[in-house]
Amino acid sequence: MVASNLLEREKTRARQPGEARRRGTIDPDVYLDRTKQVRDFLAFLNECHGQGAVATMTLADLSMVDVEGYNQDIATKGYSASQVSKRMQVVRRIVNHAGRQEHGRQLLSWNWESRQVHHGREPKEKRLPTVEQLKKLLAAADARGRVMIWIGLGLGFGQSDIAALRLANIDKDSYDMRRGKTGINRWGRTPPMVWGAIREYLKGTSRPKDELLFVTRDSRPVVHAKADSVLLWWNRLRQSIGETRHTLEGFYILRHLGATVHGAREGCSLADLRSWLGHGASSAMADVYMKPLKPEYKEVVAWVGQALESGRANLRVRNTPSR
């Protein structure tokens, strides 16, 4: 009952499609994630105490062994440290929610802070694409695909950003969007290559300024609910050039590469990079891209930077001996 009531409250906080971000609200995807996280924890308790056990449990029945066991279980399953932390925060939300008057002001019989904490795996360092991989991707993609690739590299847009992009948000000189996840104004200069790719795409695909730049065949956003056609397209494109997820990461890696390129520009400040990323002033992620450039990434960073500014990219792939 406590968990169900908590989810009902979270549901009322979820923003409707197109609704502006405001204090106290959460993204619909956050609500869906928390729903799964709550259900996973309850399923773990049922597995430990018998099917249907949670229906009769009170907070006093929740032991430190239960919580530590769940913590260890999700950590050993390979979840990242961030995901483990989020799931344990949900457990803490359930505990705190049980203290409300309608649930009898239940309290734990033990100290939450005294439990042993198990952390998930640390995130692996992102492996940036090589120049050869980018050239192959661009050569294999159609005009629509090339736009998305250059937008990922030049503007740092992920799938959700691309799905929300309208022609009214961008022109030859600049772009201006509000990042839905953070509600932070996001604007900047449009690199010549990005605008050139958009113009090429629009030659065969007319788009009114107030409509989405990219839609599916049935005129839906390319990312909606849990459907992500950008991800599906990327996976097919990656496979077509002989790469796998082990040799070339997902579409979001273009944002990481673009941020590395942007951060390597002379005179780029931490504030500039945070604005480019669409992050708040407290974001620590921007610091990652302001570190000295690793030698193995100098070639691809230089190539992408030159292509974005010149509006031209040499797509000839060097002949390399077969392995």
Side-chain angles (χ1 to χ4, degrees):
M1 289 178 62
V2 172
S4 297
N5 185 258
L6 173 63
L7 289 178
E8 284 297 320
R9 181 178 180 277
E10 294 292 275
K11 186 176 182 179
T12 64
R13 298 174 59 211
R15 294 189 293 275
Q16 298 300 313
E19 182 182 354
R21 183 179 183 270
R22 66 184 191 279
R23 186 175 182 179
T25 63
I26 58 175
D27 189 277
D29 286 344
V30 173
Y31 165 69
L32 292 175
D33 288 341
R34 287 181 183 171
T35 298
K36 184 180 187 307
Q37 291 159 0
V38 167
R39 289 174 177 170
D40 286 350
F41 176 58
L42 298 182
F44 175 82
L45 292 179
N46 276 332
E47 185 178 342
C48 292
H49 298 280
Q51 191 60 37
V54 293
T56 58
M57 289 178 67
T58 64
L59 189 63
D61 298 319
L62 183 66
S63 68
M64 185 187 295
V65 172
D66 291 328
V67 175
E68 288 180 343
Y70 179 65
N71 189 179
Q72 184 174 19
D73 181 64
I74 56 179
T76 55
K77 282 180 177 177
Y79 285 104
S80 67
S82 172
Q83 283 297 317
V84 170
S85 176
K86 287 178 181 178
R87 286 170 176 264
M88 295 309 297
Q89 287 171 14
V90 164
V91 175
R92 187 62 187 269
R93 283 174 177 267
I94 294 174
V95 170
N96 290 343
H97 202 66
R100 292 182 57 82
Q101 184 174 356
E102 60 265 35
H103 299 303
R105 295 176 177 169
Q106 302 178 58
L107 298 174
L108 282 177
S109 58
W110 48 274
N111 184 355
W112 175 273
E113 302 302 331
S114 66
R115 64 191 172 86
Q116 291 184 352
V117 177
H118 302 273
H119 301 285
R121 59 174 175 79
E122 291 301 319
K124 296 185 295 184
E125 181 182 354
K126 297 293 182 183
R127 185 174 60 251
L128 299 181
T130 64
V131 173
E132 285 72 18
Q133 286 174 326
L134 288 178
K135 288 180 177 180
K136 288 180 180 179
L137 288 167
L138 289 163
D142 58 10
R144 180 176 182 265
R146 286 192 293 274
V147 178
M148 290 194 284
I149 290 173
W150 285 117
I151 285 177
L153 292 169
L155 306 184
F157 285 11
Q159 291 104 297
S160 297
D161 298 314
I162 285 177
L165 181 62
R166 301 174 190 273
L167 194 55
N169 298 128
I170 188 168
D171 59 26
K172 180 181 178 181
D173 301 314
S174 62
Y175 65 94
D176 191 341
M177 287 185 70
R178 177 173 292 277
R179 188 161 169 78
K181 183 163 57 174
T182 60
I184 297 172
N185 281 327
R186 189 179 187 191
W187 61 87
R189 172 178 166 271
T190 304
M193 178 60 88
V194 173
W195 184 246
I198 290 175
R199 289 186 61 187
E200 179 191 0
Y201 167 59
L202 292 176
K203 287 179 182 178
T205 308
S206 177
R207 280 282 184 274
K209 284 203 168 187
D210 60 343
E211 290 189 8
L212 295 173
L213 192 58
F214 303 103
V215 293
T216 62
R217 291 180 180 177
D218 56 355
S219 299
R220 303 186 70 180
V222 289
V223 179
H224 58 276
K226 290 297 182 180
D228 188 338
S229 61
V230 177
L231 176 63
L232 296 176
W233 158 77
W234 178 263
N235 289 342
R236 291 193 299 268
L237 181 65
R238 181 171 57 187
Q239 185 177 13
S240 73
I241 65 169
E243 302 286 352
T244 69
R245 62 185 179 86
H246 300 294
T247 59
L248 180 61
E249 299 196 34
F251 180 82
Y252 212 72
I253 195 63
L254 299 181
R255 172 173 162 84
H256 290 283
L257 175 53
T260 305
V261 172
H262 196 83
R265 293 179 178 178
E266 186 176 354
C268 179
S269 68
L270 193 56
D272 291 336
L273 187 53
R274 284 170 177 164
S275 177
W276 190 88
L277 288 165
H279 287 178
S282 61
S283 170
M285 183 54 66
D287 297 345
V288 174
Y289 302 110
M290 295 298 289
K291 293 179 180 178
L293 191 61
K294 291 188 175 182
E296 60 265 34
Y297 294 142
K298 287 183 177 179
E299 181 186 13
V300 68
V301 167
W303 185 86
V304 171
Q306 187 276 333
L308 285 170
E309 292 306 317
S310 68
R312 298 186 302 275
N314 175 17
L315 298 185
R316 288 185 57 188
V317 179
R318 292 183 303 213
N319 292 324
T320 55
S322 57
R323 296 183 218 181

